[in-house]
Amino acid sequence: MNVSRLSAIGMLVCAAVGLGALWATLPSPRAQPLHVDTEGIQRHEDSGAADTLGCETLSLTPKDVATYFSTATEVSAATFHAESIILPCSFSGTLMKGGAKYAWRVHAAGAGYLTAEATGQTQRFLCQAACEKALPALMGQ
């Protein structure tokens, strides 16, 4: 191999390493700070449910909402449909993340949604075992 080819390969490797280091320092979307609208947390309870499963004692604070979305795992629609547990109570409101406004909904037992106001795109989240530690009240403990 000639020297100019080795030099070009070396420059590409250095550029790739540099880009990798830059990429590693960028904040992930999950790491973006959330600002939860404290005035707008609404409680929802399915009054037609035969058993409320203790919903009347559950509450969710803005700090709990931020903890939920930093702890929960985003999942595909298929995984959400297969694994989520939807109890007859949930909470909803709005939050700001990365300069964008989202509507959120979190169900007792750990299923949640974030819907971007600008695009209408919905992300689905599950938080089961991790939320048992982080948000025991939401998980009925």
Side-chain angles (χ1 to χ4, degrees), residues 96-111:
M96 295 294 291
K97 176 176 131 181
K101 189 173 183 177
Y102 292 82
W104 61 266
R105 185 174 205 104
V106 174
H107 291 269

Side-chain angles (χ1 to χ4, degrees), residues 10-26:
M11 287 174 46
L12 285 174
V13 168
C14 287
V17 168
L19 286 174
L22 174 63
W23 184 259
T25 63
L26 293 175

Side-chain angles (χ1 to χ4, degrees), residues 68 73-87 108-113 124-129 139:
Y68 174 86
T73 302
E74 185 177 355
V75 297
S76 68
T79 299
F80 188 87
H81 179 72
E83 297 180 17
S84 64
I85 299 169
I86 306 293
L87 293 181
Y113 303 91
R124 292 158 185 84
F125 294 84
L126 291 177
C127 190
Q128 292 151 343
M139 305 303 285

